[in-house]
Amino acid sequence: MTRPKRATIVDVARMAEVSAKTVSRVVNNEPHVTEAVKTRVREAMRALRYHPNVAAQGLVRSRSYLIGLVYEKPSPSYVVELQKGALERLHGERFRLVVLPVESVTEREEEIIALLRSAALDAVLLAPPASDNAALMRELRDGGIPFARISPTRLLGQGPSVAMDDVAAAQEAAEHLVTLGHTRIGVIKGDPSHAASDARLVGTMQALATAGIALHPELIEAGLFTFDSGLAAARRLLALDPPPSAILAQNDDMAAAAITAARECGLHVPEDLSVVGFDDSDISRVVWPPLTTIRQPVQDMAYRAMDMLLHMLKGEPEQGDVHLAHELMIRRSTAPPRAD
Amino acid sequence: MTRPKRATIVDVARMAEVSAKTVSRVVNNEPHVTEAVKTRVREAMRALRYHPNVAAQGLVRSRSYLIGLVYEKPSPSYVVELQKGALERLHGERFRLVVLPVESVTEREEEIIALLRSAALDAVLLAPPASDNAALMRELRDGGIPFARISPTRLLGQGPSVAMDDVAAAQEAAEHLVTLGHTRIGVIKGDPSHAASDARLVGTMQALATAGIALHPELIEAGLFTFDSGLAAARRLLALDPPPSAILAQNDDMAAAAITAARECGLHVPEDLSVVGFDDSDISRVVWPPLTTIRQPVQDMAYRAMDMLLHMLKGEPEQGDVHLAHELMIRRSTAPPRAD
DNA sequence: TTGTACGCGTTATCAG
DNA sequence: CTGATAACGCGTACAA
């Protein structure tokens, strides 16, 4: 219907009585342009409400000014933090963020690779578990598309990454429970396709082994990082005889579910059951009692990863891997076990 | 460094021994191509791993295949739902979603308009309060860029929209409390720049007026749709003498905060204080007790709005406004007031 | 300091 | 049914 043709660089040139190339120079802040000409061109641009055509620029520069963020149905809070960090770094830059949530990286590798190929991305941010996918990374590398990995757990050195130490963090969380006097500790694992789940389990087991505490298989329940999966897992744990006196959930969503499950059983947190989460997402302060959890600086990680990408886009060499510190946030969901 | 030139349409043409235009026809599923030629071209495309260059296509078709989603720091749960719905509809389509969170639409109108102009978006999804911004809509209309509005409250008829009835929903929520026997009801308002805040207040007042209950000004507290703002507001409300026996928060984040504030005061929910939320976001089931709330079909709304956009992009006429039904979800955060 | 010719990869037009 | 040619809007190389 309405197609008010946008002004082009030629229109501006005509109005300012210069050549198109000169306008181009002004637009791109190139040197060798008289101040007088510059202002004349700028006025014309304003008058015509001129904005460069991104498609045309992209065609000649082979740049799309698009950066993709690939992630896979993690908890909402994680996604939000991720986007916040990435967008914060992008503020003021020309690049825009395209969100690419995918069903299952491992199951539909081909489909996702095709998606990336046709999406014309200048760079890609890989969140777990996509950050562990070899085929994906190979494809990006072959295509000459810079990428940064967030919290990878395998194939380190295959690409710049930002991560925290999952093993050490889980260990610290478990030690906290041990120090409080817990000996029967239940674990709710995260999505098995996220390698972080195993890393966190390893850390937990190390802490318990050091303390001489056995972790019976029945005390390890499978979850998927979602509230519902956590609820089911927590119910199974609490149905055990005897039930654990503490539950270590591998993310906050599942920890919140553990609190809910406890309430269903008439149990008080932390008096009857201590609960530890992971991530320090918004949810950790929304529930009651507020969660003792591991602060995983997701937003900072995304910010740093995006920063790496921007540097690479400027032609600078790949940076190495960055490790960000975690922190045990002790709040009110943990306490010594009831003296029986 | 590495720049393995991608195959172009000409490469494919050469390999399949046809002209570039014929390849183009195959790519775009245009008629008038022999099956034999078609398969020959397809094979060449596969062999060369050919993917059309989006920038070049965009240049000739004046399309970017980018759809923007404009929103303003609302609660994380709202953003997630919004994106889910929009992306769900986009699945399988060529268009990609660019997220455009903005600081404050009203304060930085100019900046945002410039952003839109330079972003080369084919269409835009406006979430509140951007969906109420006249300047923004004028700009889009002038630019011939289709847009759809989510939950607008003013300037209706200025553009296709998807909404729910905030007044009726708030009324229903308040009636629920009245029916339970509450007469001293506190309200935590949302961000004043979101017109929904006023609409919901109006609905609440209508319900109370009908029941002959006075809503004292001291019972109306300001919030910003965030947990923290809700916490502060709820604390003020509970410090009143006498405190309200029920709190109606204008979204779930703030309702969750009200529960936390109640716990701080040693109050039990719902025995000592009933709490009603708004949105039925994830958070409503994560907290304890699970929130009685108004189910606002945010995901469906985003899906429908995106659907409208896609239709308009195909040249079909603008659709009218769509209303989606809300639903009062009665859960465990509300009960009759304690008999004094 | 400024301008000209050309090419980026694709599609539309209009012949053949 | 198929192909040659021009155009989309801009940047690069090279002149002037």
Side-chain angles (χ1 to χ4, degrees), chain A residues 174-328:
Chain A
E175 276 165 7
H176 168 63
L177 291 175
V178 170
T179 304
L180 287 172
H182 293 277
T183 53
R184 192 162 168 80
I185 298 172
V187 175
I188 303 180
K189 282 194 65 184
D191 190 319
S193 71
H194 292 230
S197 305
D198 287 324
R200 292 174 191 176
L201 183 60
V202 168
T204 306
M205 297 205 292
Q206 280 179 6
L208 298 190
T210 303
I213 298 171
L215 178 55
H216 296 291
E218 56 176 21
L219 285 171
I220 303 177
E221 273 291 347
L224 295 167
F225 283 141
T226 62
F227 183 85
D228 286 331
S229 71
L231 191 58
R235 282 173 183 156
R236 289 193 295 269
L237 245 21
L238 295 179
L240 253 32
D241 185 24
S245 67
I247 288 181
L248 201 161
Q250 292 193 342
N251 81 346
D252 288 341
D253 296 68
M254 299 192 298
I259 292 182
T260 294
R263 285 244 162 66
E264 289 175 348
C265 302
L267 261 31
H268 289 254
V269 176
E271 295 83 358
D272 303 314
L273 179 76
S274 285
V275 175
V276 176
F278 217 105
D279 283 353
D280 194 28
S281 57
D282 287 336
I283 221 177
S284 65
R285 296 189 325 114
V286 164
V287 296
W288 186 270
L291 285 172
T292 289
T293 187
I294 293 287
R295 189 177 113 73
Q296 180 181 192
V298 178
Q299 191 174 334
D300 295 347
M301 293 197 296
Y303 185 98
R304 286 298 296 270
M306 183 57 83
D307 190 60
M308 285 177 165
L309 247 28
L310 258 17
H311 278 285
M312 291 161 76
L313 250 14
K314 282 180 189 147
E316 295 171 25
E318 264 184 24
Q319 299 177 39
D321 295 348
V322 169
H323 269 77
L324 261 34
H326 61 267
E327 188 184 354
L328 175 64

Side-chain angles (χ1 to χ4, degrees), chain B residues 9 21 24 28 50 52-53 57 60:
Chain B
I9 203 170
K21 176 65 212 183
S24 172
N28 298 299
Y50 170 75
N53 180 315
Q57 287 184 321
V60 294

Side-chain angles (χ1 to χ4, degrees), chain A residues 9 21 24 50 53 57 60:
Chain A
I9 204 169
K21 176 62 217 186
S24 172
Y50 169 76
N53 181 315
Q57 287 185 321
V60 294

Side-chain angles (χ1 to χ4, degrees), chain B residues 183-189 201 204-205 208-209 212-222 237 240-244 246:
Chain B
T183 53
R184 191 162 169 80
I185 298 171
V187 175
I188 303 179
K189 283 193 65 184
L201 183 60
T204 306
M205 297 205 293
L208 298 189
I213 297 172
L215 179 55
H216 296 292
E218 56 175 21
L219 285 170
I220 302 177
E221 273 292 348
L237 244 23
L240 253 33
D241 186 24

Side-chain angles (χ1 to χ4, degrees), chain B residues 2-205:
Chain B
T2 51
R3 58 195 118 164
K5 270 166 199 145
R6 281 176 51 165
T8 77
I9 203 170
V10 179
D11 299 324
V12 178
R14 192 157 28 216
M15 183 173 223
E17 296 180 305
V18 293
S19 77
K21 176 65 212 183
T22 299
V23 176
S24 172
R25 279 193 254 268
V26 175
V27 170
N28 298 299
N29 285 315
E30 286 172 38
H32 310 308
V33 185
T34 325
E35 268 313 315
V37 175
K38 240 185 226 172
T39 50
R40 195 142 43 89
V41 171
R42 292 232 170 86
E43 273 168 23
M45 295 201 315
R46 199 139 6 92
L48 263 27
R49 310 199 65 184
Y50 170 75
H51 282 265
N53 180 315
V54 187
Q57 287 184 321
L59 187 54
V60 294
R61 299 204 264 224
S62 43
R63 275 268 166 105
S64 65
Y65 296 99
L66 256 28
I67 294 181
L69 171 62
V70 179
Y71 58 85
E72 185 174 324
K73 54 168 180 1
S75 68
S77 39
Y78 188 85
V79 179
V80 171
E81 298 282 313
L82 214 52
Q83 292 188 7
K84 263 193 212 161
L87 287 164
E88 191 188 340
R89 180 61 188 85
L90 239 32
H91 193 80
E93 303 280 344
R94 287 204 57 180
F95 295 89
R96 292 152 292 161
L97 190 71
V98 175
V99 289
L100 300 166
V102 298
E103 281 303 312
S104 165
V105 182
T106 42
E107 283 172 33
R108 314 172 76 162
E109 231 166 49
E110 279 310 313
E111 189 182 324
I112 293 158
I113 287 177
L115 183 73
L116 289 183
R117 288 187 72 85
S118 60
L121 270 12
D122 285 346
V124 175
L125 217 58
L126 260 22
S131 52
D132 275 330
N133 191 287
L136 218 59
M137 293 192 287
R138 187 170 351 102
E139 173 69 21
L140 290 170
R141 201 175 284 288
D142 287 354
I145 301 174
F147 62 91
R149 309 167 66 190
I150 293 177
S151 300
T153 49
R154 316 177 323 189
L155 308 165
L156 300 176
Q158 298 272 52
S161 68
V162 181
M164 60 171 289
D165 189 338
D166 275 292
V167 176
Q171 197 168 344
E172 208 169 307
E175 277 164 5
H176 169 63
L177 290 175
V178 170
T179 304
L180 287 172
H182 292 276
T183 53
R184 191 162 169 80
I185 298 171
V187 175
I188 303 179
K189 283 193 65 184
D191 190 319
S193 70
H194 292 229
S197 305
D198 287 325
R200 292 175 190 175
L201 183 60
V202 168
T204 306
M205 297 205 293

